[in-house]
């Protein structure tokens, strides 16, 4: 291959688009429904169809893609199944705004036309994140892309609902739920953001009915007192034992309510008396059930006060709050108001505080499902969590689970397959026709049914994701081949909301856990180590960095920052310039890979890399060393990937490629590549370079797929133009572990040669010897073994350290160190003669000036640090930095004095 055939620069944007298009169009990522190969399957955690790519997506999908590409190259029948979630609340909010902007209401538009709008919106705008995910180079099987509301998955949802209902595990009842007054729907815990707010704690006097006094209660939501049905005290609280069983006249409402005793009450909090509003507080709701208290709902679904609020009816809840406080103050029942910082749950979509609201909803009886998942985890460690600490969190959640509210008061989503007869009889069926069959059998031909208007919580459908996407409830070939799936890659924040629901649903419907392993990754934090969030407006757009540095650079930098499984990473970012030094470093690594590969290919002289294979003959010391280091790297990287230590794998590859291969091996063999070099030695180097570079590209491919594919095509075929008659790196075998080439003794010995070269180079730099000048060097060691090794590597030392005369001795005369500079590597002393290459008097004068300046800085630092006033007043981090700088200066002083002592002998 000639130099003119090789592009001088790597163009990431051009290469990435080219290969992504070719891989997909040529079916490289398509899994086989039937194959003798071992299956390996990962389901994408489906992003919301409303979403756009954020750094959390980028991090997660890159981790998945590394595992997928690694296993595909290892020969597995690999399926990465992509798809999106219909995101009920998010889509509903978008359409609500559009309709409101038109001056209409949803009711005026009607459900049917609303859903027509929703599907049209999905077709036009819902694929944004899918196209963005492709920019990341994900190797998903797009022929199997699914959407949680496509026909197949909708059938799966209906089947699951009907089966659970028929088994008595789904029921309908009136319970307390999280209610968003803005969207006027129940919301799950995941759709609630807890915010710390500076509010108030109001203390009110509740008069005893017998006129003997009053009790003081405190609340952050005064308007809820309109629905109080008791006041509770702790049964062991001596202050109130005599009042238990008596009654209080509820202010404003003039309703007589009891004083009850319950262990839940903390005697140390406030006055030790707690107002109980069972219809508007989850803890009060449980207490109300224990004491058979009435449930009085005071709120309409839009957050205003209803008819049970007396004179406050029709007022917004926050207006009523102010008016209730004013009324109690007017009645002389307001004891005090305190500033109070507390946590308030906000609706993620509605952006308003949620209300615990008594509502008729559909629920799943969760315990039978969670018991099976718990048994699988306790007895089989299934699924296995990485890191394993998250397994305890998962287990604790399974134990604490309460029945799951699955209905939502929305239109976009899976409408609940339940129909009501006029008398309220419920008919649950797969279709309306089947519901009518049941109803007619009971009520006759003239029966009229009305369908439940609610839709299912999106977590219901996504809980079925690992098997519904494969065709369940049908026994499809994909289901038989790929289920259970291999790994779930997800964040820790949805272990309960999604992971646990998938294991429970899968356990019930398939009898198996849906995946063998759950790999929990951390968060991508911003440049200030803060969690990225919309409220903080501190997100980093991955596409900005991709456009600037390339996809491979972003992929590599994200993974390289991972210091351990499940750990958060920090990504530096300059918001003014849209630059990141971390990603820029990764781009430089890609450029280094390109340039080093270009050098290798320029020096192969037509060596057929497709048949070059592993060199075994005429190997010299450096060849045997790099092959050992390569074999060690293959071993390390495969072990690290198998253990989900992807960050450690990138570091191993970086150190081997940049350090061992580029900095040392290529430099060590350059002289053997010259045209006048020994032909046999030259051919061995060329074969070794081709073999190791091919292996490096394969090892790196899962992390940086595009640049490695581009180079591999050039290396293998001499062109990087995609063609159906040529193989692609994406499905080449991953390097196999071959321990026969590992020679740890040789590697340890070679460290001495490298260390010696590095020491001589450092001595030259300290003495300011020009690069063009060669020097005379004496290497002294008492060890016969070390001297033998140095003699074996003397050609490398002569070449890379610019040495013209090298002497290796057991002992040296003291005179040998005169007019010389010396250093030590291990137990070897390297002595570089300065005679004829450096003006020693000028060097001594320069070192003395440097020493004098350094000693002045040391004296100044010591003066500050010995000043007690400075140490006490200065910030601790400033003092710590000053001490560290002083310590470093003292080390430099010691080195300079030693150098001067050598030169002044």
């Amino acid at each position: 291959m000639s130099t003119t055939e090789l592009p001088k620069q790597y163009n990431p944007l051009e290469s990435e688009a080219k290969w992504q298009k070719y891989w997909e169009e040529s079916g490289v990522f398509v899994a086989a429904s039937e194959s003798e190969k071992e299956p390996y399957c990962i389901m994408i955690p489906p992003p919301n169809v409303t979403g756009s790519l954020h750094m959390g997506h980028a991090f997660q999908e890159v981790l998945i893609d590394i595992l997928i590409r690694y296993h595909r190259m290892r020969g597995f029948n690999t399926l990465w199944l992509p798809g999106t979630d219909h995101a009920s609340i998010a889509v509903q909010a978008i359409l609500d705004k559009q309709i409101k902007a038109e001056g209409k209401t949803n009711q005026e538009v009607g459900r049917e036309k609303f859903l027509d709008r929703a599907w049209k919106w999905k077709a036009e705008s819902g694929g944004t994140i899918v196209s963005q995910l492709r920019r990341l180079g994900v190797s998903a099987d797009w022929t199997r892309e699914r959407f949680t509301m496509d026909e197949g998955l909708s059938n799966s949802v209906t089947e699951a609902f009907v089966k659970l209902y028929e088994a008595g595990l789904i029921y309908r009842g009136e319970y307390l739920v999280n209610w968003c007054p803005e969207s006027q729907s129940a919301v799950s815990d995941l759709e609630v953001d807890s915010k710390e707010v500076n509010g108030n704690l109001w203390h009110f006097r509740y008069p005893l009915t017998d006129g003997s006094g009053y009790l003081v209660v405190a609340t952050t939501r005064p308007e809820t007192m309109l629905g109080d049905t008791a006041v509770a005290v702790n049964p062991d609280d001596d202050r109130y034992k005599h009042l238990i069983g008596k009654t209080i006249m509820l202010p404003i409402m003039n309703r007589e309510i009891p004083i009850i005793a319950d262990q839940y009450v903390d005697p140390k909090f406030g006055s030790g008396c707690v107002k109980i509003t069972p219809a508007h507080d989850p803890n009060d709701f449980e207490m109300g059930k224990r004491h058979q208290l009435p449930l009085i709902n005071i709120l309409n679904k839009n957050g205003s006060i209803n008819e049970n609020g007396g004179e406050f009816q029709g007022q917004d809840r926050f207006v009523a709050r102010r008016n209730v406080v004013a009324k109690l103050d007017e009645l002389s029942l307001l004891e005090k108001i305190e500033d109070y910082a507390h946590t308030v749950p906000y609706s993620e979509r509605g952006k308003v505080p949620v209300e615990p609201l008594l509502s008729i909803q559909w629920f799943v009886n969760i315990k039978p499902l969670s018991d099976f998942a718990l048994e699988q985890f306790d007895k089989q460690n299934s699924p296995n969590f990485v890191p394993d600490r998250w397994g305890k969190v998962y287990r604790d959640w399974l134990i604490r689970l309460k029945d799951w509210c699955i209905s939502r008061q929305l239109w976009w989503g899976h409408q609940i397959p339940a129909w009501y007869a006029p008398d309220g009889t419920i008919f649950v069926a797969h279709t309306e026709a089947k519901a009518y069959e049941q109803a007619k059998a009971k009520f006759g031909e003239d029966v009229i049914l009305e369908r439940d208007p609610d839709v299912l919580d999106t977590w219901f459908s996504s809980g079925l994701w690992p098997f519904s996407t494969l065709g369940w409830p049908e026994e499809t070939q994909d289901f038989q081949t790929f289920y259970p799936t291999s790994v779930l890659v997800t964040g820790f924040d949805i272990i309960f909301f999604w992971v646990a629901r998938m294991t429970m649903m899968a356990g019930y419907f398939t009898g198996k856990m849906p995946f063998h392993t759950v790999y929990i990754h951390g968060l991508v934090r911003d440049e200030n180590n803060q969690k990225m969030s919309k409220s903080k407006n501190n997100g980093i757009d991955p596409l900005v960095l991709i456009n600037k540095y390339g996809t491979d650079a972003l992929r590599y930098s994200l993974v390289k920052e991972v210091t351990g499984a499940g750990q958060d990473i920090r990504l530096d970012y300059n918001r003014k310039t849209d630059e990141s030094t971390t990603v820029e470093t990764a781009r430089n690594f890609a450029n280094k890979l390109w340039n080093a590969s270009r050098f290798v290919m320029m020096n192969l002289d037509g060596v057929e890399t497709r048949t070059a294979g592993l060199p075994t003959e005429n190997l010299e010391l450096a060849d045997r060393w790099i092959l050992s280091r390569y074999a060690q790297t293959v071993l390390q990287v495969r072990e690290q990937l198998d253990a989900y230590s992807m960050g450690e794998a990138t570091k191993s590859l970086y150190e081997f490629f940049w350090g061992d291969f580029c900095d040392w091996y290529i430099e060590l063999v350059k002289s053997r590549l010259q045209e006048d070099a020994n032909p046999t030695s030259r051919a061995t180097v060329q074969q070794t370079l081709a073999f190791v570079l091919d292996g490096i590209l394969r090892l790196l491919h899962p992390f940086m797929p595009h640049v490695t594919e581009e180079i591999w095509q050039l290396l293998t075929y001499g062109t990087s133009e995609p063609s159906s008659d040529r193989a692609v790196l994406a499905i080449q075998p991953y390097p196999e572990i071959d321990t026969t080439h590992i020679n740890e003794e040789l590697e340890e010995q070679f460290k001495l040669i490298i260390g010696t070269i590095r020491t001589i180079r450092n001595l030259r730099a300290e003495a300011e010897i020009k690069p063009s000048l060669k020097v005379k060097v004496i290497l002294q060691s008492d060890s016969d073994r070390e001297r033998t090794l140095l003699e074996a590597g003397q050609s490398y030392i002569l070449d890379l350290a610019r040495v013209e005369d090298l002497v290796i001795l057991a002992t040296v005369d003291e005179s040998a160190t005169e007019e010389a500079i010396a250093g030590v590597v291990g137990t070897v002393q390297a002595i570089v003669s300065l005679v004829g290459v450096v003006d020693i008097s000028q060097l001594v004068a320069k070192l003395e000036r440097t020493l004098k300046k350094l000693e002045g800085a040391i004296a100044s630092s010591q003066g500050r640090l010995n000043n007690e006033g400075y140490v006490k007043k200065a910030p601790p981090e400033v003092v710590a930095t000053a001490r560290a700088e002083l310590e470093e200066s003292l080390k430099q002083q010691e080195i300079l004095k030693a150098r001067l002592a050598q030169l002044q002998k």
Side-chain angles (χ1 to χ4, degrees):
M1 186 179 294
S2 66
T3 309
T4 56
E5 293 173 314
L6 287 167
K8 292 183 179 180
Q9 288 187 333
Y10 174 61
N11 184 332
L13 297 182
E14 180 182 300
S15 175
E16 288 161 4
K18 173 180 68 178
W19 286 113
Q20 196 65 28
K21 183 174 184 288
Y22 179 75
W23 287 329
E24 290 185 19
E25 290 180 350
S26 59
V28 170
F29 305 148
V30 177
S33 294
E34 296 183 71
S35 173
E36 293 181 359
K37 295 180 179 179
E38 184 178 348
Y40 185 86
C41 177
I42 297 179
M43 301 292 179
I44 193 172
N48 285 349
V49 72
T50 58
S52 60
L53 188 68
H54 59 63
M55 200 57 75
H57 286 133
F59 183 42
Q60 178 172 265
E61 309 317 330
V62 168
L63 292 173
I64 295 174
D65 197 50
I66 289 169
L67 293 172
I68 286 290
R69 287 181 181 271
Y70 170 58
H71 283 85
R72 185 182 291 118
M73 294 178 76
R74 283 184 57 195
F76 286 77
N77 180 21
T78 306
L79 169 61
W80 181 5
L81 195 147
T84 49
D85 186 271
H86 60 278
S88 286
I89 293 180
V91 172
Q92 184 98 18
I94 291 171
L95 296 176
D96 286 350
K97 287 180 182 177
Q98 292 178 0
I99 292 169
K100 189 175 181 180
E102 296 170 6
K104 300 176 183 177
T105 67
N106 289 356
Q107 286 66 35
E108 289 172 337
V109 171
R111 183 170 193 143
E112 186 176 341
K113 290 185 178 179
F114 180 93
L115 291 175
D116 286 342
R117 280 177 176 244
W119 282 107
K120 184 179 179 182
W121 178 90
K122 193 269 178 184
E124 294 175 352
S125 307
T128 299
I129 194 166
V130 169
S131 62
Q132 292 174 332
L133 288 173
R134 283 180 151 107
R135 288 289 307 276
L136 276 175
V138 299
S139 58
D141 183 351
W142 294 103
T143 67
R144 286 177 164 89
E145 181 183 356
R146 303 308 298 266
F147 175 54
T148 48
M149 282 182 60
D150 67 30
E151 184 179 358
L153 268 64
S154 293
N155 291 339
S156 300
V157 169
T158 302
E159 175 74 6
F161 187 96
V162 172
K163 280 184 175 292
L164 288 170
Y165 180 80
E166 291 176 346
L169 296 178
I170 282 183
Y171 62 93
R172 189 169 182 259
E174 187 175 42
Y175 292 89
L176 212 60
V177 296
N178 291 322
W179 186 265
C180 172
E182 181 66 24
S183 62
Q184 295 192 35
S185 172
V187 294
S188 74
D189 290 339
L190 187 63
E191 295 153 353
V192 171
D193 290 327
S194 293
K195 297 182 180 180
E196 190 76 18
V197 299
N198 293 318
N200 296 108
L201 187 64
W202 287 271
H203 297 255
F204 301 135
R205 298 170 183 164
Y206 280 17
L208 293 164
T209 308
D210 62 11
S212 61
Y214 57 82
L215 293 181
V216 175
V217 299
T219 181
T220 59
R221 299 158 67 212
E223 68 282 6
T224 62
M225 62 86 60
L226 302 172
D228 284 357
T229 57
V231 170
V233 299
N234 191 288
D236 300 321
D237 192 335
D238 291 334
R239 294 173 296 175
Y240 305 117
K241 282 183 177 180
H242 66 289
L243 295 176
I244 297 171
K246 292 190 175 185
T247 61
I248 278 173
M249 186 58 67
L250 181 65
I252 301 176
M253 304 307 293
N254 296 318
R255 184 168 62 244
E256 192 173 357
I257 61 176
I259 301 172
I260 62 174
D262 198 288
Q263 289 288 350
Y264 172 78
V265 179
D266 181 2
K268 297 178 181 178
F269 179 77
S271 66
C273 301
V274 180
K275 60 186 287 298
I276 306 302
T277 319
H280 294 286
D281 182 275
N283 295 317
D284 292 4
F285 181 75
E286 294 300 323
M287 200 181 302
K289 286 197 294 184
R290 288 195 293 272
H291 296 272
Q292 293 83 47
L293 298 175
L295 305 173
I296 301 177
N297 172 32
I298 62 153
L299 287 177
N300 294 310
K301 291 184 176 181
N302 64 0
S304 65
I305 305 299
N306 66 18
E307 67 278 5
N308 293 327
E311 63 186 272
F312 305 99
Q313 181 177 358
Q315 297 180 8
D316 177 78
R317 52 183 167 156
F318 299 116
V319 173
R321 177 174 298 178
R322 293 194 299 271
N323 292 337
V324 165
V325 172
K327 183 70 173 181
L328 289 168
D329 188 21
E330 179 186 323
L331 297 172
S332 300
L333 297 176
L334 174 61
E335 179 150 302
K336 63 177 179 178
I337 303 174
E338 292 181 305
D339 292 334
Y340 188 65
H342 62 121
T343 300
V344 175
Y346 274 72
S347 169
E348 186 182 70
R349 300 295 177 181
K351 309 301 181 187
V352 297
V354 299
E355 289 287 346
L357 186 70
L358 201 60
S359 177
I360 296 176
Q361 303 287 343
W362 288 89
F363 293 85
V364 174
N365 177 5
I366 212 70
K367 194 172 188 307
L369 281 66
S370 63
D371 282 349
F372 182 80
L374 190 62
E375 180 184 13
Q376 291 292 301
F377 184 72
D378 287 345
K379 293 183 178 180
Q380 307 292 334
N381 190 33
S382 179
N384 171 50
F385 279 80
V386 179
D388 60 5
R389 67 177 181 273
W390 290 110
K392 183 179 184 304
V393 175
Y394 166 76
R395 187 182 190 280
D396 289 347
W397 275 335
L398 286 178
I399 292 172
R400 297 200 309 266
L401 279 174
K402 296 179 181 179
D403 284 1
W404 171 16
C405 174
I406 57 172
S407 46
R408 299 290 181 267
Q409 289 64 55
L410 305 168
W411 283 349
W412 174 245
H414 295 102
Q415 191 170 356
I416 290 173
W419 287 261
Y420 304 104
D423 69 346
T425 301
I426 302 173
F427 296 96
V428 170
H430 292 84
T431 64
E432 185 176 42
K434 289 185 178 180
Y436 265 101
E437 284 180 18
Q438 298 175 26
K440 288 176 181 179
K442 182 177 178 64
F443 294 106
E445 288 294 325
D446 295 332
V447 67
I448 296 176
L449 299 180
E450 183 177 350
R451 187 169 184 177
D452 193 308
D454 290 355
V455 299
L456 287 165
D457 176 15
T458 52
W459 294 105
F460 189 92
S461 55
S462 58
L464 309 174
W465 185 254
F467 49 98
S468 64
T469 50
L470 295 173
W472 182 90
E474 302 299 324
E475 281 285 330
T476 64
Q477 189 61 54
D478 272 3
F479 181 78
Q480 293 174 17
T481 300
F482 294 107
Y483 188 82
T485 65
S486 305
V487 185
L488 173 71
V489 179
T490 190
F492 62 84
D493 50 341
I494 56 173
I495 291 176
F496 166 60
F497 303 107
W498 190 40
V499 180
R501 288 176 182 175
M502 284 190 287
T503 60
M504 290 187 294
M505 297 286 253
Y508 184 79
F509 290 115
T510 73
K512 300 175 183 177
M513 290 296 95
F515 22 72
H516 299 299
T517 299
V518 179
Y519 172 62
I520 300 293
H521 61 73
L523 301 172
V524 184
R525 295 184 176 271
D526 71 4
E527 65 276 17
N528 299 312
N529 205 34
Q530 297 294 310
K531 179 181 177 180
M532 295 185 196
S533 68
K534 292 180 181 178
S535 60
K536 293 179 181 177
N537 195 30
N538 64 337
I540 302 172
D541 185 351
L543 295 177
V544 169
L545 295 175
I546 285 174
N547 291 332
K548 186 178 286 287
Y549 301 110
T551 295
D552 286 345
L554 179 65
R555 288 171 60 113
Y556 187 81
S557 60
L558 286 173
V559 180
K560 192 171 186 289
E561 291 300 302
V562 180
T563 56
Q567 295 300 306
D568 292 352
I569 66 170
R570 179 179 176 182
L571 188 64
D572 72 279
Y573 184 61
N574 185 323
R575 295 182 183 276
K576 293 182 179 179
T577 61
D578 288 327
E579 294 175 332
S580 168
T581 55
T582 301
V583 186
E584 184 178 7
T585 299
R587 183 197 61 188
N588 294 342
F589 179 67
N591 289 337
K592 180 75 172 180
L593 181 64
W594 179 263
N595 292 328
S597 301
R598 187 170 185 270
F599 171 83
V600 170
M601 287 184 274
M602 286 166 51
N603 285 279
L604 291 182
D605 293 339
V607 170
E608 183 57 69
T609 59
R610 280 170 285 179
T611 59
L614 176 69
T616 57
E617 298 179 358
N618 305 309
L619 295 173
E620 298 183 19
L621 189 66
D623 306 324
R624 289 190 288 114
W625 170 75
I626 196 64
L627 290 174
S628 179
R629 289 295 307 124
Y630 170 72
Q632 288 272 31
T633 303
V634 172
L635 175 64
Q636 289 172 0
V637 170
R638 289 188 65 132
E639 286 180 346
Q640 288 160 340
L641 286 175
D642 289 342
Y644 302 95
S645 300
M646 286 168 269
E648 287 79 355
T650 61
K651 295 177 182 67
S652 296
L653 287 169
Y654 182 95
E655 290 166 3
F656 172 71
F657 168 72
W658 200 304
D660 296 335
F661 187 67
C662 294
D663 288 352
W664 291 107
Y665 184 69
I666 287 178
E667 295 302 317
L668 288 167
V669 301
K670 275 183 177 178
S671 60
R672 293 165 61 193
L673 290 170
Q674 301 302 314
E675 290 186 4
D676 57 354
N678 179 288
T680 301
S681 177
R682 190 163 185 260
T684 301
V685 168
Q686 289 173 328
Q687 188 179 3
T688 304
L689 283 169
F691 173 79
V692 176
L693 178 57
D694 177 87
I696 288 170
L697 296 173
R698 293 168 190 256
L699 288 169
L700 271 171
H701 181 75
F703 304 92
M704 309 178 81
H706 309 93
V707 66
T708 52
E709 183 74 76
E710 183 84 1
I711 295 170
W712 190 82
Q713 294 290 331
L714 288 165
L715 178 68
T716 308
Y717 299 108
T719 177
S720 63
E721 284 304 310
S723 173
S724 59
D725 61 357
R726 291 193 292 271
V728 290
L729 176 58
I731 50 175
Q732 294 305 298
Y734 206 70
E736 295 288 344
I737 297 171
D738 185 355
T739 57
T740 60
H741 291 278
I742 294 177
N743 188 332
E744 293 184 355
E745 183 180 0
L746 171 63
E747 291 185 38
E748 193 62 34
Q749 292 171 347
F750 215 80
K751 286 181 183 178
L752 181 64
I753 296 173
I754 291 174
T756 300
I757 294 170
R758 189 178 283 124
T759 299
I760 296 171
R761 285 174 168 177
N762 290 340
L763 291 172
R764 290 178 61 110
E766 289 172 13
E768 298 185 355
I769 299 172
K770 294 179 181 178
S772 60
L773 295 177
K774 290 192 173 184
V775 295
K776 296 179 180 180
V777 175
I778 297 173
L779 298 178
Q780 181 270 322
S781 173
D782 297 336
S783 166
D784 292 339
R785 186 186 65 83
E786 286 184 340
R787 291 197 305 277
T788 300
L789 182 61
L790 290 169
E791 287 168 0
Q794 65 180 331
S795 63
Y796 306 134
I797 299 170
L798 289 168
D799 191 12
L800 268 63
R802 302 289 292 161
V803 176
E804 66 175 353
D805 186 6
L806 179 65
V807 180
I808 302 171
L809 302 170
T811 59
V812 293
D813 296 331
E814 191 174 329
S815 60
T817 62
E818 295 177 1
E819 297 192 12
I821 190 168
V824 175
V825 52
T827 58
V828 175
Q829 181 179 207
I831 304 167
V832 178
S833 173
L834 301 180
V835 177
V837 293
V838 171
D839 186 325
I840 295 176
S841 62
Q842 287 185 7
L843 179 59
V844 167
K846 181 178 180 180
L847 291 176
E848 286 177 338
R849 290 195 300 272
T850 302
L851 179 61
K852 185 176 180 180
K853 183 178 180 180
L854 183 63
E855 287 175 337
I858 289 172
S860 176
S861 294
Q862 288 175 331
R864 284 199 310 276
L865 292 171
N866 289 334
N867 183 336
E868 290 186 12
Y870 168 79
V871 173
K872 289 180 179 179
K873 291 179 181 178
E877 61 272 17
V878 173
V879 175
T881 301
R883 285 188 172 134
E885 290 174 349
L886 174 60
E887 186 177 347
E888 181 62 28
S889 296
L890 290 170
K891 288 178 183 177
Q892 292 177 13
Q893 180 189 42
E894 186 179 341
I895 293 170
L896 283 171
K897 284 182 176 180
R899 292 279 181 257
L900 283 168
Q902 277 188 331
L903 295 170
Q904 291 173 334
K905 285 183 180 178

